[in-house]
PDB file of all heavy atoms in Angstrom:
ATOM      1  N   LYS A  84      -8.203  20.998 -23.189  1.00  0.00           N
ATOM      2  CA  LYS A  84      -8.279  19.545 -22.965  1.00  0.00           C
ATOM      3  C   LYS A  84      -8.960  19.276 -21.632  1.00  0.00           C
ATOM      4  O   LYS A  84      -8.462  19.635 -20.565  1.00  0.00           O
ATOM      5  CB  LYS A  84      -6.871  18.941 -22.971  1.00  0.00           C
ATOM      6  CG  LYS A  84      -6.397  18.636 -24.383  1.00  0.00           C
ATOM      7  CD  LYS A  84      -5.136  17.791 -24.359  1.00  0.00           C
ATOM      8  CE  LYS A  84      -3.923  18.638 -24.056  1.00  0.00           C
ATOM      9  NZ  LYS A  84      -2.687  17.866 -23.975  1.00  0.00           N
ATOM     10  N   TRP A  85     -10.121  18.633 -21.697  1.00  0.00           N
ATOM     11  CA  TRP A  85     -10.971  18.390 -20.527  1.00  0.00           C
ATOM     12  C   TRP A  85     -11.023  16.917 -20.157  1.00  0.00           C
ATOM     13  O   TRP A  85     -11.215  16.060 -21.009  1.00  0.00           O
ATOM     14  CB  TRP A  85     -12.399  18.840 -20.833  1.00  0.00           C
ATOM     15  CG  TRP A  85     -12.675  20.267 -20.544  1.00  0.00           C
ATOM     16  CD1 TRP A  85     -12.514  21.325 -21.392  1.00  0.00           C
ATOM     17  CD2 TRP A  85     -13.184  20.787 -19.315  1.00  0.00           C
ATOM     18  NE1 TRP A  85     -12.885  22.484 -20.764  1.00  0.00           N
ATOM     19  CE2 TRP A  85     -13.304  22.185 -19.487  1.00  0.00           C
ATOM     20  CE3 TRP A  85     -13.547  20.222 -18.094  1.00  0.00           C
ATOM     21  CZ2 TRP A  85     -13.776  23.019 -18.474  1.00  0.00           C
ATOM     22  CZ3 TRP A  85     -14.015  21.046 -17.094  1.00  0.00           C
ATOM     23  CH2 TRP A  85     -14.122  22.444 -17.286  1.00  0.00           C
ATOM     24  N   LEU A  86     -10.929  16.688 -18.869  1.00  0.00           N
ATOM     25  CA  LEU A  86     -11.108  15.337 -18.336  1.00  0.00           C
ATOM     26  C   LEU A  86     -12.418  15.312 -17.541  1.00  0.00           C
ATOM     27  O   LEU A  86     -12.700  16.245 -16.789  1.00  0.00           O
ATOM     28  CB  LEU A  86      -9.923  14.996 -17.411  1.00  0.00           C
ATOM     29  CG  LEU A  86      -9.972  13.698 -16.611  1.00  0.00           C
ATOM     30  CD1 LEU A  86      -9.937  12.482 -17.541  1.00  0.00           C
ATOM     31  CD2 LEU A  86      -8.801  13.636 -15.626  1.00  0.00           C
ATOM     32  N   PHE A  87     -13.192  14.258 -17.726  1.00  0.00           N
ATOM     33  CA  PHE A  87     -14.426  14.088 -16.956  1.00  0.00           C
ATOM     34  C   PHE A  87     -14.261  12.823 -16.113  1.00  0.00           C
ATOM     35  O   PHE A  87     -14.120  11.735 -16.654  1.00  0.00           O
ATOM     36  CB  PHE A  87     -15.611  13.926 -17.913  1.00  0.00           C
ATOM     37  CG  PHE A  87     -16.963  13.954 -17.241  1.00  0.00           C
ATOM     38  CD1 PHE A  87     -17.859  14.974 -17.492  1.00  0.00           C
ATOM     39  CD2 PHE A  87     -17.344  12.952 -16.346  1.00  0.00           C
ATOM     40  CE1 PHE A  87     -19.115  15.003 -16.876  1.00  0.00           C
ATOM     41  CE2 PHE A  87     -18.589  12.984 -15.721  1.00  0.00           C
ATOM     42  CZ  PHE A  87     -19.476  14.005 -15.988  1.00  0.00           C
ATOM     43  N   VAL A  88     -14.234  12.980 -14.785  1.00  0.00           N
ATOM     44  CA  VAL A  88     -14.057  11.799 -13.931  1.00  0.00           C
ATOM     45  C   VAL A  88     -15.341  11.533 -13.154  1.00  0.00           C
ATOM     46  O   VAL A  88     -15.851  12.419 -12.469  1.00  0.00           O
ATOM     47  CB  VAL A  88     -12.892  11.977 -12.925  1.00  0.00           C
ATOM     48  CG1 VAL A  88     -12.609  10.658 -12.213  1.00  0.00           C
ATOM     49  CG2 VAL A  88     -11.632  12.463 -13.623  1.00  0.00           C
ATOM     50  N   LEU A  89     -15.855  10.315 -13.288  1.00  0.00           N
ATOM     51  CA  LEU A  89     -17.021   9.892 -12.521  1.00  0.00           C
ATOM     52  C   LEU A  89     -16.546   8.998 -11.377  1.00  0.00           C
ATOM     53  O   LEU A  89     -15.829   8.022 -11.607  1.00  0.00           O
ATOM     54  CB  LEU A  89     -18.000   9.128 -13.431  1.00  0.00           C
ATOM     55  CG  LEU A  89     -19.152   8.407 -12.717  1.00  0.00           C
ATOM     56  CD1 LEU A  89     -20.080   9.390 -12.003  1.00  0.00           C
ATOM     57  CD2 LEU A  89     -19.957   7.565 -13.716  1.00  0.00           C
ATOM     58  N   SER A  90     -16.958   9.350 -10.180  1.00  0.00           N
ATOM     59  CA  SER A  90     -16.629   8.555  -8.999  1.00  0.00           C
ATOM     60  C   SER A  90     -17.916   7.900  -8.504  1.00  0.00           C
ATOM     61  O   SER A  90     -18.879   8.583  -8.170  1.00  0.00           O
ATOM     62  CB  SER A  90     -16.069   9.486  -7.928  1.00  0.00           C
ATOM     63  OG  SER A  90     -16.298   8.969  -6.629  1.00  0.00           O
ATOM     64  N   THR A  91     -17.943   6.576  -8.497  1.00  0.00           N
ATOM     65  CA  THR A  91     -19.145   5.889  -8.028  1.00  0.00           C
ATOM     66  C   THR A  91     -18.776   4.511  -7.514  1.00  0.00           C
ATOM     67  O   THR A  91     -17.819   3.902  -8.006  1.00  0.00           O
ATOM     68  CB  THR A  91     -20.221   5.799  -9.140  1.00  0.00           C
ATOM     69  OG1 THR A  91     -21.421   5.247  -8.587  1.00  0.00           O
ATOM     70  CG2 THR A  91     -19.769   4.951 -10.316  1.00  0.00           C
ATOM     71  N   SER A  92     -19.521   4.042  -6.521  1.00  0.00           N
ATOM     72  CA  SER A  92     -19.259   2.679  -6.061  1.00  0.00           C
ATOM     73  C   SER A  92     -20.157   1.708  -6.824  1.00  0.00           C
ATOM     74  O   SER A  92     -19.710   0.656  -7.228  1.00  0.00           O
ATOM     75  CB  SER A  92     -19.471   2.555  -4.547  1.00  0.00           C
ATOM     76  OG  SER A  92     -20.832   2.637  -4.218  1.00  0.00           O
ATOM     77  N   LYS A  93     -21.412   2.078  -7.052  1.00  0.00           N
ATOM     78  CA  LYS A  93     -22.339   1.125  -7.656  1.00  0.00           C
ATOM     79  C   LYS A  93     -23.105   1.646  -8.867  1.00  0.00           C
ATOM     80  O   LYS A  93     -23.896   0.901  -9.426  1.00  0.00           O
ATOM     81  CB  LYS A  93     -23.362   0.634  -6.607  1.00  0.00           C
ATOM     82  CG  LYS A  93     -22.804  -0.120  -5.457  1.00  0.00           C
ATOM     83  CD  LYS A  93     -22.338  -1.559  -5.630  1.00  0.00           C
ATOM     84  CE  LYS A  93     -22.322  -2.285  -6.888  1.00  0.00           C
ATOM     85  NZ  LYS A  93     -21.041  -3.017  -7.102  1.00  0.00           N
ATOM     86  N   GLY A  94     -22.879   2.877  -9.290  1.00  0.00           N
ATOM     87  CA  GLY A  94     -23.560   3.374 -10.482  1.00  0.00           C
ATOM     88  C   GLY A  94     -25.072   3.253 -10.371  1.00  0.00           C
ATOM     89  O   GLY A  94     -25.650   3.472  -9.307  1.00  0.00           O
ATOM     90  N   ASP A  95     -25.710   2.854 -11.481  1.00  0.00           N
ATOM     91  CA  ASP A  95     -27.176   2.777 -11.516  1.00  0.00           C
ATOM     92  C   ASP A  95     -27.631   1.373 -11.102  1.00  0.00           C
ATOM     93  O   ASP A  95     -28.219   0.622 -11.880  1.00  0.00           O
ATOM     94  CB  ASP A  95     -27.667   3.104 -12.935  1.00  0.00           C
ATOM     95  CG  ASP A  95     -28.949   3.904 -12.891  1.00  0.00           C
ATOM     96  OD1 ASP A  95     -29.639   3.857 -11.856  1.00  0.00           O
ATOM     97  OD2 ASP A  95     -29.260   4.564 -13.902  1.00  0.00           O
ATOM     98  N   VAL A  96     -27.325   1.054  -9.838  1.00  0.00           N
ATOM     99  CA  VAL A  96     -27.451  -0.331  -9.361  1.00  0.00           C
ATOM    100  C   VAL A  96     -28.895  -0.852  -9.374  1.00  0.00           C
ATOM    101  O   VAL A  96     -29.109  -2.067  -9.429  1.00  0.00           O
ATOM    102  CB  VAL A  96     -26.800  -0.454  -7.954  1.00  0.00           C
ATOM    103  CG1 VAL A  96     -27.587   0.333  -6.927  1.00  0.00           C
ATOM    104  CG2 VAL A  96     -26.631  -1.901  -7.538  1.00  0.00           C
ATOM    105  N   ASP A  97     -29.888   0.043  -9.373  1.00  0.00           N
ATOM    106  CA  ASP A  97     -31.285  -0.416  -9.407  1.00  0.00           C
ATOM    107  C   ASP A  97     -31.577  -1.274 -10.641  1.00  0.00           C
ATOM    108  O   ASP A  97     -32.452  -2.136 -10.604  1.00  0.00           O
ATOM    109  CB  ASP A  97     -32.248   0.780  -9.378  1.00  0.00           C
ATOM    110  CG  ASP A  97     -32.253   1.463  -8.010  1.00  0.00           C
ATOM    111  OD1 ASP A  97     -31.764   0.857  -7.035  1.00  0.00           O
ATOM    112  OD2 ASP A  97     -32.734   2.610  -7.933  1.00  0.00           O
ATOM    113  N   PHE A  98     -30.859  -1.021 -11.728  1.00  0.00           N
ATOM    114  CA  PHE A  98     -31.088  -1.784 -12.961  1.00  0.00           C
ATOM    115  C   PHE A  98     -30.627  -3.234 -12.853  1.00  0.00           C
ATOM    116  O   PHE A  98     -30.969  -4.066 -13.695  1.00  0.00           O
ATOM    117  CB  PHE A  98     -30.402  -1.106 -14.153  1.00  0.00           C
ATOM    118  CG  PHE A  98     -31.186   0.039 -14.705  1.00  0.00           C
ATOM    119  CD1 PHE A  98     -30.907   1.337 -14.315  1.00  0.00           C
ATOM    120  CD2 PHE A  98     -32.229  -0.185 -15.595  1.00  0.00           C
ATOM    121  CE1 PHE A  98     -31.649   2.400 -14.813  1.00  0.00           C
ATOM    122  CE2 PHE A  98     -32.977   0.870 -16.097  1.00  0.00           C
ATOM    123  CZ  PHE A  98     -32.688   2.171 -15.706  1.00  0.00           C
TER     124      PHE A  98
END
Side-chain angles (χ1 to χ4, degrees):
Chain A
K84 276 191 282 178
W85 272 89
L86 173 65
F87 189 115
V88 189
L89 170 64
S90 153
T91 186
S92 71
K93 297 285 3 134
D95 217 339
V96 67
D97 289 344
F98 280 96

